[in-house]
Amino acid sequence: MDEFALIRRYFAALTPNASGVALGIGDDAALLMPTPGHALVVTTDTLIEGLHFARDAEPADIAWKALAVNLSDLAAMGAQPRWFTLALTLPQADADWLAAFAQGLQALADRYNMALIGGDTTRGALSITITALGEVPQGDALRRDGARVGDAVCVTGTLGDAALGLRLGYAANGFLRERLDRPMPRIEVGIALRRLAHAAIDLSDGLAGDLQHVLEASGVGAHINVDALPLSAPFLQFADPGQRRSLPLGGGDDYELCVCLPAECIELACAKVLMPLTVIGRIVAEPGLHWVDADGATIAQSVAAYRHFT
Amino acid sequence: MDEFALIRRYFAALTPNASGVALGIGDDAALLMPTPGHALVVTTDTLIEGLHFARDAEPADIAWKALAVNLSDLAAMGAQPRWFTLALTLPQADADWLAAFAQGLQALADRYNMALIGGDTTRGALSITITALGEVPQGDALRRDGARVGDAVCVTGTLGDAALGLRLGYAANGFLRERLDRPMPRIEVGIALRRLAHAAIDLSDGLAGDLQHVLEASGVGAHINVDALPLSAPFLQFADPGQRRSLPLGGGDDYELCVCLPAECIELACAKVLMPLTVIGRIVAEPGLHWVDADGATIAQSVAAYRHFT
């Protein structure tokens, strides 16, 4: 089967007559109709076999995650997902694999009524690059550079689950595997926090590294209470003592949001986001990321963020 | 050097304060300001080492071509290039390689004042996926499905040069290598033919395969005079008799435009596009692609378009 037939057959269901699509797959390029008064939000992420997912990973999970990591970036901007392109490199064209992959992609795309609007299929080592496009009303985007002294630092959900799931492999508890294989982008949280949060970032590389980006971009520092980090019951059950502190800080792959918002807005924010939002610290004027424990004592915590080219 | 430093260092010059960029590289996603009254035009293409370029190809050429093949798709829609993302997978982070790659990318991006607005850098077999974003006034986009009976079928430039350059390898004449390594997207042609051409496509897979897409999408057929195909002097000098017919039809990698436009507009179109535009045939009602020679006699011509997954 040739490239064109492949794309048509397995991804046809992913190109509904979605809103804002004047011309989808099938021409040299897609024609989209952006919403007036909105900024276009664009992000690109690649997943590579053996690096971002195991060689024996389920194709539906690979597809879900490839889209989810991009949507997590849109979530961190407060954007509404709209469209995406898929560049899929495959060692061979396997019908079962493609059918399962398309199904996993659609499962997540349908949650946000996203349309697949273009792509490319090539032969090579398995890798998936998705470019996701979203929209946010002009001026409402959440950015990294808006954190202010006195802001509360909050995170959604729980941290460290995916990193522990990765380390436990197939022995992992179902919840931990699900957190690793099928992360849920916090789109609704990002949208709910428009005009409320001062800054946001997604925790793809781990809290320590990602929060550092916010602090640098905003020219501030933070005191973070490591004893306040939200941990799931399965994480607490299966993590050894060393992992209990290192994975939530530096394990990566969490795809939760870290947001900075005025302390007086916490209650309103918690009510709006419809999921756990935990205060883990506060923004201070002194630069740097300062780890403290529940008693307020400074602790030395060396945490390296996940780096692809360390 | 880590991923973040890599991106900052080598691609910083590619992120100027371009128009329409509210927030470029450095946040979770870019924020763009689409032009009111315009459609957004989006395309994605991947180049793989060993498949789309040789293992010893110059990094500046690889970068140029990776962007050019995307711009060629924008050209075929009549779009003005605006922004692009780069997903770069590399076996290792080599400073010289990256510097040359960035230079090649910038050489082409600067021609159209395009801004690199995001990307991802991962470790793996060398591959480059670019997503290019352009704009076209609403209703003015050139598409594949608008060809009408009686239209003249035209192509820009000359055909078969890149395919011959590939076959000759380093023995190739400089012009033929340039056509292979540094294709020039026909952006200005696409823009000049807005509201004039009925249909357009770029010739990335070869005339035979690509024109077939136009005919199918438009529900028409074509008579193409194989003796009218524009061939360059170096092509005529170095091609053997078999290649002289097969490469212009099915060699691929031409990145010229094939356009269908009313016969009475040919003179105006030729004057507007500022480059050779050759009439090679006409659109007919009878479906299919019919090859004729200069005397109008039908000839059997079996030409397989380039296929990634044949």
Side-chain angles (χ1 to χ4, degrees):
Chain A
M1 188 181 301
D2 71 24
E3 177 189 5
F4 310 101
L6 270 180
I7 293 173
R8 273 197 302 270
R9 177 160 165 191
Y10 291 103
F11 300 114
L14 283 156
T15 57
N17 290 320
S19 66
V21 181
L23 187 64
I25 289 178
D27 211 302
D28 289 278
L31 292 176
L32 307 177
M33 292 171 296
T35 308
H38 285 60
L40 183 72
V41 189
V42 183
T43 187
T44 296
D45 267 305
T46 300
L47 297 197
I48 307 270
E49 185 183 56
L51 181 65
H52 299 99
F53 58 88
R55 291 194 188 276
D56 55 357
E58 293 292 331
D61 288 342
I62 298 169
W64 174 288
K65 190 159 181 174
L67 183 55
V69 300
N70 278 283
L71 296 194
S72 185
D73 285 324
L74 294 187
M77 307 300 290
Q80 174 72 49
R82 298 296 307 275
W83 313 286
F84 69 105
T85 64
L86 167 68
L88 179 59
T89 301
L90 291 167
Q92 69 277 325
D94 178 82
D96 289 343
W97 193 97
L98 279 165
F101 184 89
Q103 177 269 320
L105 205 55
Q106 183 162 18
L108 184 54
D110 280 356
R111 292 180 69 99
Y112 301 105
N113 198 28
M114 294 187 86
L116 175 66
I117 49 103
D120 194 12
T121 315
T122 48
R123 190 189 293 275
L126 181 58
S127 96
I128 304 103
T129 296
I130 285 178
T131 298
L133 305 174
E135 294 188 312
V136 61
Q138 262 170 32
D140 285 356
L142 306 176
R143 305 165 51 137
R144 295 182 179 182
D145 59 4
R148 300 179 205 168
V149 174
D151 279 354
V153 180
C154 307
V155 293
T156 58
T158 54
L159 305 183
D161 300 321
L164 183 57
L166 179 67
R167 279 153 187 79
L168 295 178
Y170 286 109
N173 155 287
F175 170 84
L176 298 176
R177 288 292 305 187
E178 181 87 3
R179 294 279 286 160
L180 176 65
D181 293 336
R182 295 246 174 175
M184 190 62 70
R186 302 308 184 189
I187 294 295
E188 296 80 1
V189 174
I191 290 172
L193 294 182
R194 290 175 186 167
R195 295 183 297 281
L196 203 56
H198 287 154
I201 194 168
D202 88 313
L203 297 180
S204 48
D205 294 334
L207 177 66
D210 287 323
L211 180 54
Q212 191 67 49
H213 294 314
V214 171
L215 302 182
E216 285 168 11
S218 302
V220 296
H223 284 183
I224 300 297
N225 178 357
V226 294
D227 291 326
L229 301 185
L231 307 175
S232 69
F235 179 87
L236 288 168
Q237 183 183 348
F238 294 104
D240 65 36
Q243 292 172 327
R244 211 169 283 193
R245 186 153 282 179
S246 67
L247 295 187
L249 288 174
D253 246 8
D254 281 322
Y255 305 105
E256 298 293 346
L257 296 186
C258 176
V259 297
C260 302
L261 73 173
E264 64 271 23
C265 295
I266 292 172
E267 206 171 333
L268 175 59
C270 288
K272 286 184 80 172
V273 302
L274 301 173
M275 70 170 294
L277 190 67
T278 306
V279 178
I280 61 167
R282 62 192 167 85
I283 298 295
V284 299
E286 184 195 353
L289 188 40
H290 312 280
W291 305 103
V292 297
D293 65 14
D295 300 323
T298 296
I299 56 169
Q301 181 71 43
S302 168
V303 184
Y306 182 76
R307 292 282 197 269
H308 299 299
F309 274 111
T310 301
Chain B
M1 186 181 305
D2 70 24
E3 176 189 6
F4 311 101
L6 269 182
I7 292 174
R8 273 196 302 270
R9 178 161 166 193
Y10 291 102
F11 300 115
L14 284 156
T15 57
N17 290 321
S19 66
V21 181
L23 187 64
I25 289 178
D27 211 302
D28 289 278
L31 292 176
L32 307 177
M33 292 171 294
T35 307
H38 285 60
L40 184 71
V41 189
V42 184
T43 186
T44 296
D45 267 306
T46 300
L47 296 196
I48 306 270
E49 186 183 56
L51 182 65
H52 300 99
F53 58 87
R55 292 195 187 275
D56 56 356
E58 292 292 331
D61 289 342
I62 298 169
W64 174 289
K65 191 159 181 174
L67 183 55
V69 300
N70 280 282
L71 296 194
S72 184
D73 284 324
L74 294 188
M77 307 300 290
Q80 174 71 49
R82 298 295 309 275
W83 313 287
F84 69 104
T85 64
L86 167 67
L88 179 59
T89 302
L90 291 167
Q92 68 277 324
D94 177 83
D96 290 342
W97 194 96
L98 279 165
F101 184 90
Q103 177 269 318
L105 205 55
Q106 183 162 18
L108 184 55
D110 281 356
R111 291 180 69 99
Y112 302 105
N113 197 28
M114 294 187 86
L116 175 65
I117 49 101
D120 194 13
T121 314
T122 48
R123 190 189 294 274
L126 180 58
S127 95
I128 304 103
T129 296
I130 285 179
T131 299
L133 306 174
E135 293 187 315
V136 61
Q138 262 168 33
D140 285 358
L142 306 176
R143 305 164 53 137
R144 296 182 178 180
D145 59 4
R148 301 178 205 169
V149 174
D151 279 355
V153 180
C154 308
V155 294
T156 59
T158 52
L159 305 183
D161 301 322
L164 183 58
L166 178 68
R167 279 153 185 80
L168 295 177
Y170 286 111
N173 156 287
F175 171 83
L176 298 177
R177 288 292 307 188
E178 182 86 5
R179 293 279 285 161
L180 175 65
D181 294 336
R182 295 247 175 174
M184 189 62 70
R186 302 307 185 189
I187 294 295
E188 297 80 2
V189 174
I191 291 172
L193 294 183
R194 291 175 186 166
R195 294 183 298 280
L196 204 55
H198 286 154
I201 193 168
D202 88 314
L203 297 180
S204 48
D205 294 333
L207 177 66
D210 287 323
L211 179 54
Q212 191 67 49
H213 294 314
V214 171
L215 302 182
E216 284 169 11
S218 302
V220 294
H223 285 184
I224 301 297
N225 177 358
V226 294
D227 291 326
L229 301 184
L231 307 176
S232 69
F235 179 87
L236 288 168
Q237 184 182 348
F238 293 104
D240 65 36
Q243 292 172 327
R244 212 168 282 193
R245 187 152 281 178
S246 66
L247 295 186
L249 288 175
D253 246 6
D254 282 321
Y255 304 106
E256 297 293 347
L257 296 187
C258 176
V259 297
C260 302
L261 74 173
E264 64 271 23
C265 295
I266 292 172
E267 206 171 332
L268 174 59
C270 287
K272 287 184 79 172
V273 302
L274 301 173
M275 71 169 295
L277 190 67
T278 306
V279 178
I280 60 168
R282 61 193 167 85
I283 297 296
V284 298
E286 183 195 356
L289 190 38
H290 311 280
W291 305 103
V292 297
D293 65 15
D295 300 323
T298 296
I299 55 170
Q301 181 71 43
S302 168
V303 183
Y306 182 75
R307 293 281 198 270
H308 299 300
F309 273 111
T310 300

